Short mmCIF file of all heavy atoms in Angstrom, two decimals:
data_model
loop_
_atom_site.label_atom_id
_atom_site.label_comp_id
_atom_site.label_asym_id
_atom_site.label_seq_id
_atom_site.Cartn_x
_atom_site.Cartn_y
_atom_site.Cartn_z
N ASN A 1 -14.50 4.13 -21.12
CA ASN A 1 -13.50 3.08 -20.95
C ASN A 1 -12.14 3.71 -20.67
O ASN A 1 -11.70 4.59 -21.41
CB ASN A 1 -13.42 2.21 -22.21
CG ASN A 1 -12.63 0.95 -21.95
OD1 ASN A 1 -12.75 0.33 -20.90
ND2 ASN A 1 -11.80 0.56 -22.90
N CYS A 2 -11.50 3.26 -19.61
CA CYS A 2 -10.18 3.76 -19.24
C CYS A 2 -9.31 2.56 -18.88
O CYS A 2 -9.29 2.12 -17.73
CB CYS A 2 -10.30 4.74 -18.06
SG CYS A 2 -8.73 5.46 -17.56
N GLU A 3 -8.62 2.02 -19.87
CA GLU A 3 -7.80 0.81 -19.66
C GLU A 3 -6.70 1.04 -18.64
O GLU A 3 -6.29 0.13 -17.95
CB GLU A 3 -7.19 0.36 -20.99
CG GLU A 3 -8.17 -0.32 -21.92
CD GLU A 3 -8.69 -1.64 -21.38
OE1 GLU A 3 -7.93 -2.37 -20.70
OE2 GLU A 3 -9.87 -1.95 -21.62
N ARG A 4 -6.21 2.27 -18.56
CA ARG A 4 -5.09 2.57 -17.67
C ARG A 4 -5.47 2.41 -16.20
O ARG A 4 -4.63 2.11 -15.36
CB ARG A 4 -4.60 4.00 -17.93
CG ARG A 4 -3.37 4.37 -17.16
CD ARG A 4 -2.81 5.69 -17.61
NE ARG A 4 -2.14 5.52 -18.88
CZ ARG A 4 -1.70 6.51 -19.64
NH1 ARG A 4 -1.88 7.74 -19.26
NH2 ARG A 4 -1.10 6.28 -20.78
N SER A 5 -6.75 2.61 -15.87
CA SER A 5 -7.17 2.51 -14.46
C SER A 5 -8.60 1.95 -14.38
O SER A 5 -9.56 2.66 -14.62
CB SER A 5 -7.10 3.87 -13.77
OG SER A 5 -7.64 3.79 -12.47
N GLN A 6 -8.69 0.70 -13.99
CA GLN A 6 -10.01 0.10 -13.78
C GLN A 6 -10.72 0.73 -12.58
O GLN A 6 -11.94 0.81 -12.53
CB GLN A 6 -9.88 -1.42 -13.58
CG GLN A 6 -9.56 -2.15 -14.86
CD GLN A 6 -10.57 -1.85 -15.96
OE1 GLN A 6 -11.77 -2.04 -15.81
NE2 GLN A 6 -10.07 -1.36 -17.10
N ARG A 7 -9.94 1.23 -11.62
CA ARG A 7 -10.50 1.92 -10.45
C ARG A 7 -11.29 3.14 -10.90
O ARG A 7 -12.42 3.38 -10.47
CB ARG A 7 -9.35 2.30 -9.51
CG ARG A 7 -9.71 3.13 -8.33
CD ARG A 7 -8.45 3.49 -7.52
NE ARG A 7 -8.73 4.50 -6.54
CZ ARG A 7 -8.61 5.81 -6.72
NH1 ARG A 7 -8.22 6.28 -7.89
NH2 ARG A 7 -8.88 6.65 -5.75
N VAL A 8 -10.69 3.93 -11.78
CA VAL A 8 -11.33 5.15 -12.30
C VAL A 8 -12.56 4.79 -13.12
O VAL A 8 -13.61 5.43 -13.02
CB VAL A 8 -10.31 5.95 -13.16
CG1 VAL A 8 -10.99 6.96 -14.06
CG2 VAL A 8 -9.30 6.64 -12.25
N CYS A 9 -12.45 3.74 -13.92
CA CYS A 9 -13.56 3.32 -14.78
C CYS A 9 -14.73 2.80 -13.94
O CYS A 9 -15.88 3.19 -14.15
CB CYS A 9 -13.05 2.23 -15.72
SG CYS A 9 -14.06 2.00 -17.17
N CYS A 10 -14.44 1.96 -12.96
CA CYS A 10 -15.50 1.36 -12.13
C CYS A 10 -16.19 2.41 -11.27
O CYS A 10 -17.40 2.32 -11.04
CB CYS A 10 -14.93 0.26 -11.25
SG CYS A 10 -14.51 -1.22 -12.17
N PHE A 11 -15.45 3.40 -10.79
CA PHE A 11 -16.08 4.41 -9.97
C PHE A 11 -17.15 5.15 -10.77
O PHE A 11 -18.26 5.38 -10.28
CB PHE A 11 -15.07 5.42 -9.41
CG PHE A 11 -15.73 6.49 -8.60
CD1 PHE A 11 -16.12 6.25 -7.30
CD2 PHE A 11 -16.01 7.73 -9.16
CE1 PHE A 11 -16.78 7.23 -6.56
CE2 PHE A 11 -16.67 8.72 -8.43
CZ PHE A 11 -17.04 8.46 -7.12
N LEU A 12 -16.81 5.55 -11.99
CA LEU A 12 -17.78 6.29 -12.80
C LEU A 12 -18.99 5.43 -13.14
O LEU A 12 -20.13 5.88 -13.06
CB LEU A 12 -17.13 6.81 -14.08
CG LEU A 12 -18.04 7.67 -14.96
CD1 LEU A 12 -18.44 8.96 -14.23
CD2 LEU A 12 -17.36 8.01 -16.28
N LYS A 13 -18.75 4.17 -13.48
CA LYS A 13 -19.84 3.31 -13.94
C LYS A 13 -20.70 2.78 -12.79
O LYS A 13 -21.91 2.61 -12.94
CB LYS A 13 -19.28 2.13 -14.73
CG LYS A 13 -18.70 2.53 -16.08
CD LYS A 13 -18.21 1.30 -16.83
CE LYS A 13 -17.72 1.70 -18.22
NZ LYS A 13 -17.29 0.52 -19.00
N ILE A 14 -20.07 2.51 -11.63
CA ILE A 14 -20.77 1.81 -10.56
C ILE A 14 -20.74 2.55 -9.22
O ILE A 14 -21.75 2.62 -8.51
CB ILE A 14 -20.15 0.40 -10.35
CG1 ILE A 14 -20.22 -0.42 -11.64
CG2 ILE A 14 -20.82 -0.33 -9.20
CD1 ILE A 14 -19.36 -1.66 -11.63
N GLY A 15 -19.59 3.09 -8.85
CA GLY A 15 -19.38 3.55 -7.47
C GLY A 15 -19.87 4.93 -7.11
O GLY A 15 -20.09 5.22 -5.93
N HIS A 16 -20.03 5.82 -8.08
CA HIS A 16 -20.30 7.22 -7.74
C HIS A 16 -21.65 7.49 -7.09
O HIS A 16 -21.75 8.39 -6.26
CB HIS A 16 -20.12 8.11 -8.98
CG HIS A 16 -21.28 8.09 -9.91
ND1 HIS A 16 -21.42 7.16 -10.91
CD2 HIS A 16 -22.38 8.88 -9.98
CE1 HIS A 16 -22.55 7.38 -11.56
NE2 HIS A 16 -23.14 8.42 -11.02
N PRO A 17 -22.76 6.77 -7.41
CA PRO A 17 -24.06 7.17 -6.86
C PRO A 17 -24.10 7.23 -5.33
O PRO A 17 -24.69 8.14 -4.76
CB PRO A 17 -25.02 6.12 -7.40
CG PRO A 17 -24.39 5.64 -8.66
CD PRO A 17 -22.91 5.65 -8.37
N GLU A 18 -23.44 6.27 -4.67
CA GLU A 18 -23.48 6.24 -3.21
C GLU A 18 -22.79 7.47 -2.61
O GLU A 18 -23.31 8.11 -1.70
CB GLU A 18 -22.81 4.95 -2.71
CG GLU A 18 -22.91 4.74 -1.22
CD GLU A 18 -24.30 4.32 -0.75
OE1 GLU A 18 -25.19 4.08 -1.59
OE2 GLU A 18 -24.48 4.25 0.48
N LEU A 19 -21.61 7.81 -3.14
CA LEU A 19 -20.88 8.96 -2.60
C LEU A 19 -21.57 10.28 -2.92
O LEU A 19 -21.57 11.20 -2.10
CB LEU A 19 -19.45 8.97 -3.12
CG LEU A 19 -18.54 7.84 -2.63
CD1 LEU A 19 -17.11 8.06 -3.07
CD2 LEU A 19 -18.61 7.66 -1.12
N VAL A 20 -22.17 10.38 -4.09
CA VAL A 20 -22.91 11.60 -4.43
C VAL A 20 -24.13 11.73 -3.52
O VAL A 20 -24.43 12.82 -3.02
CB VAL A 20 -23.31 11.59 -5.92
CG1 VAL A 20 -24.28 12.71 -6.24
CG2 VAL A 20 -22.06 11.70 -6.81
N LYS A 21 -24.82 10.62 -3.30
CA LYS A 21 -26.02 10.63 -2.45
C LYS A 21 -25.70 11.14 -1.04
O LYS A 21 -26.47 11.89 -0.46
CB LYS A 21 -26.62 9.22 -2.39
CG LYS A 21 -27.86 9.12 -1.50
CD LYS A 21 -28.40 7.71 -1.48
CE LYS A 21 -27.72 6.89 -0.41
NZ LYS A 21 -28.34 5.57 -0.20
N TRP A 22 -24.54 10.73 -0.51
CA TRP A 22 -24.16 11.13 0.85
C TRP A 22 -23.41 12.46 0.87
O TRP A 22 -22.86 12.84 1.90
CB TRP A 22 -23.33 10.02 1.50
CG TRP A 22 -24.18 8.85 1.90
CD1 TRP A 22 -24.35 7.68 1.24
CD2 TRP A 22 -24.99 8.77 3.06
NE1 TRP A 22 -25.21 6.86 1.90
CE2 TRP A 22 -25.62 7.51 3.04
CE3 TRP A 22 -25.26 9.62 4.14
CZ2 TRP A 22 -26.49 7.09 4.03
CZ3 TRP A 22 -26.12 9.21 5.12
CH2 TRP A 22 -26.73 7.95 5.07
N ASN A 23 -23.38 13.16 -0.26
CA ASN A 23 -22.76 14.48 -0.34
C ASN A 23 -21.26 14.43 -0.08
O ASN A 23 -20.67 15.38 0.44
CB ASN A 23 -23.43 15.45 0.64
CG ASN A 23 -23.58 16.84 0.07
OD1 ASN A 23 -23.63 17.01 -1.15
ND2 ASN A 23 -23.65 17.83 0.92
N TYR A 24 -20.62 13.31 -0.44
CA TYR A 24 -19.18 13.16 -0.28
C TYR A 24 -18.41 13.73 -1.47
O TYR A 24 -17.25 14.06 -1.35
CB TYR A 24 -18.81 11.69 -0.12
CG TYR A 24 -18.90 11.18 1.30
CD1 TYR A 24 -19.91 11.59 2.15
CD2 TYR A 24 -17.98 10.26 1.78
CE1 TYR A 24 -20.00 11.11 3.45
CE2 TYR A 24 -18.06 9.77 3.07
CZ TYR A 24 -19.07 10.21 3.91
OH TYR A 24 -19.14 9.73 5.18
N CYS A 25 -19.05 13.81 -2.63
CA CYS A 25 -18.36 14.34 -3.80
C CYS A 25 -19.38 14.79 -4.84
O CYS A 25 -20.58 14.50 -4.72
CB CYS A 25 -17.41 13.30 -4.41
SG CYS A 25 -18.22 11.96 -5.31
N ARG A 26 -18.86 15.50 -5.84
CA ARG A 26 -19.60 15.83 -7.04
C ARG A 26 -18.78 15.32 -8.23
O ARG A 26 -17.55 15.31 -8.18
CB ARG A 26 -19.81 17.34 -7.18
CG ARG A 26 -20.72 17.93 -6.12
CD ARG A 26 -22.18 17.50 -6.31
NE ARG A 26 -23.04 18.06 -5.28
CZ ARG A 26 -23.38 17.43 -4.17
NH1 ARG A 26 -22.92 16.21 -3.92
NH2 ARG A 26 -24.18 18.01 -3.29
N VAL A 27 -19.47 14.91 -9.28
CA VAL A 27 -18.81 14.36 -10.47
C VAL A 27 -19.02 15.33 -11.63
O VAL A 27 -20.16 15.71 -11.93
CB VAL A 27 -19.38 12.97 -10.83
CG1 VAL A 27 -18.65 12.39 -12.04
CG2 VAL A 27 -19.31 12.02 -9.64
N PHE A 28 -17.93 15.70 -12.28
CA PHE A 28 -17.97 16.62 -13.42
C PHE A 28 -17.38 15.94 -14.64
O PHE A 28 -16.31 15.32 -14.56
CB PHE A 28 -17.20 17.90 -13.09
CG PHE A 28 -17.75 18.60 -11.88
CD1 PHE A 28 -17.18 18.41 -10.63
CD2 PHE A 28 -18.87 19.42 -11.98
CE1 PHE A 28 -17.70 19.02 -9.50
CE2 PHE A 28 -19.40 20.03 -10.85
CZ PHE A 28 -18.82 19.84 -9.62
N VAL A 29 -18.08 16.04 -15.76
CA VAL A 29 -17.67 15.33 -16.97
C VAL A 29 -17.39 16.31 -18.10
O VAL A 29 -17.98 17.38 -18.19
CB VAL A 29 -18.74 14.30 -17.41
CG1 VAL A 29 -19.00 13.27 -16.32
CG2 VAL A 29 -20.04 14.99 -17.80
N LEU A 30 -16.47 15.90 -18.96
CA LEU A 30 -16.17 16.66 -20.18
C LEU A 30 -16.87 15.94 -21.32
O LEU A 30 -16.45 14.87 -21.75
CB LEU A 30 -14.66 16.69 -20.42
CG LEU A 30 -14.19 17.34 -21.72
CD1 LEU A 30 -14.61 18.80 -21.79
CD2 LEU A 30 -12.68 17.19 -21.87
N PRO A 31 -17.97 16.52 -21.83
CA PRO A 31 -18.70 15.85 -22.91
C PRO A 31 -18.00 16.05 -24.25
O PRO A 31 -17.33 17.06 -24.49
CB PRO A 31 -20.07 16.53 -22.90
CG PRO A 31 -19.91 17.80 -22.14
CD PRO A 31 -18.62 17.73 -21.38
N ASP A 32 -18.15 15.08 -25.12
CA ASP A 32 -17.66 15.18 -26.49
C ASP A 32 -18.44 16.29 -27.20
O ASP A 32 -19.67 16.28 -27.19
CB ASP A 32 -17.89 13.83 -27.19
CG ASP A 32 -17.29 13.78 -28.58
OD1 ASP A 32 -17.19 14.83 -29.24
OD2 ASP A 32 -16.94 12.66 -29.02
N PRO A 33 -17.76 17.28 -27.80
CA PRO A 33 -18.51 18.36 -28.46
C PRO A 33 -19.39 17.89 -29.60
O PRO A 33 -20.36 18.55 -29.97
CB PRO A 33 -17.41 19.31 -28.96
CG PRO A 33 -16.14 18.55 -28.87
CD PRO A 33 -16.32 17.48 -27.85
N ASN A 34 -19.08 16.72 -30.16
CA ASN A 34 -19.88 16.18 -31.27
C ASN A 34 -20.95 15.19 -30.82
O ASN A 34 -21.76 14.74 -31.63
CB ASN A 34 -18.96 15.49 -32.29
CG ASN A 34 -17.94 16.44 -32.85
OD1 ASN A 34 -18.27 17.55 -33.25
ND2 ASN A 34 -16.67 16.03 -32.84
N ASP A 35 -20.93 14.84 -29.53
CA ASP A 35 -21.89 13.87 -28.99
C ASP A 35 -21.97 14.10 -27.49
O ASP A 35 -21.18 13.56 -26.72
CB ASP A 35 -21.43 12.45 -29.31
CG ASP A 35 -22.32 11.37 -28.71
OD1 ASP A 35 -23.34 11.71 -28.06
OD2 ASP A 35 -21.99 10.17 -28.86
N SER A 36 -22.89 14.92 -27.05
CA SER A 36 -22.92 15.37 -25.65
C SER A 36 -23.13 14.24 -24.64
O SER A 36 -22.86 14.40 -23.46
CB SER A 36 -24.01 16.43 -25.46
OG SER A 36 -25.28 15.90 -25.76
N GLY A 37 -23.59 13.08 -25.09
CA GLY A 37 -23.75 11.95 -24.18
C GLY A 37 -22.47 11.17 -23.93
O GLY A 37 -22.36 10.42 -22.97
N HIS A 38 -21.50 11.35 -24.82
CA HIS A 38 -20.22 10.63 -24.71
C HIS A 38 -19.27 11.40 -23.80
O HIS A 38 -19.05 12.59 -23.98
CB HIS A 38 -19.60 10.44 -26.09
CG HIS A 38 -18.28 9.71 -26.06
ND1 HIS A 38 -18.15 8.46 -25.52
CD2 HIS A 38 -17.05 10.08 -26.49
CE1 HIS A 38 -16.88 8.07 -25.63
NE2 HIS A 38 -16.20 9.04 -26.21
N ILE A 39 -18.69 10.72 -22.81
CA ILE A 39 -17.82 11.35 -21.81
C ILE A 39 -16.36 11.17 -22.23
O ILE A 39 -15.86 10.04 -22.32
CB ILE A 39 -18.05 10.72 -20.42
CG1 ILE A 39 -19.50 10.96 -19.97
CG2 ILE A 39 -17.07 11.29 -19.40
CD1 ILE A 39 -19.89 10.16 -18.74
N LEU A 40 -15.68 12.28 -22.49
CA LEU A 40 -14.26 12.23 -22.85
C LEU A 40 -13.37 12.11 -21.61
O LEU A 40 -12.27 11.56 -21.67
CB LEU A 40 -13.86 13.48 -23.63
CG LEU A 40 -14.51 13.66 -25.00
CD1 LEU A 40 -14.05 14.96 -25.64
CD2 LEU A 40 -14.20 12.47 -25.91
N GLY A 41 -13.83 12.65 -20.48
CA GLY A 41 -13.08 12.59 -19.25
C GLY A 41 -13.94 13.07 -18.10
O GLY A 41 -15.02 13.63 -18.30
N TYR A 42 -13.48 12.83 -16.88
CA TYR A 42 -14.23 13.28 -15.71
C TYR A 42 -13.31 13.46 -14.52
O TYR A 42 -12.18 12.97 -14.50
CB TYR A 42 -15.36 12.30 -15.38
CG TYR A 42 -14.95 11.12 -14.52
CD1 TYR A 42 -15.11 11.15 -13.13
CD2 TYR A 42 -14.40 9.96 -15.08
CE1 TYR A 42 -14.73 10.07 -12.34
CE2 TYR A 42 -14.03 8.88 -14.30
CZ TYR A 42 -14.19 8.94 -12.92
OH TYR A 42 -13.81 7.88 -12.14
N TYR A 43 -13.81 14.17 -13.52
CA TYR A 43 -13.13 14.25 -12.22
C TYR A 43 -14.18 14.42 -11.14
O TYR A 43 -15.32 14.80 -11.42
CB TYR A 43 -12.10 15.39 -12.17
CG TYR A 43 -12.66 16.78 -12.35
CD1 TYR A 43 -13.20 17.50 -11.28
CD2 TYR A 43 -12.63 17.41 -13.60
CE1 TYR A 43 -13.69 18.78 -11.44
CE2 TYR A 43 -13.11 18.70 -13.77
CZ TYR A 43 -13.65 19.37 -12.70
OH TYR A 43 -14.14 20.64 -12.86
#
């Protein structure tokens, strides 16, 4: 959840698969050290 930017939030949740599939970008996440499934941030 990123209240400051819905654009950033929606891309991670919905928009990234299409761009990754077409080799337009790669997504890198910073996992929570106490819970590797929880994403603290990404670019």
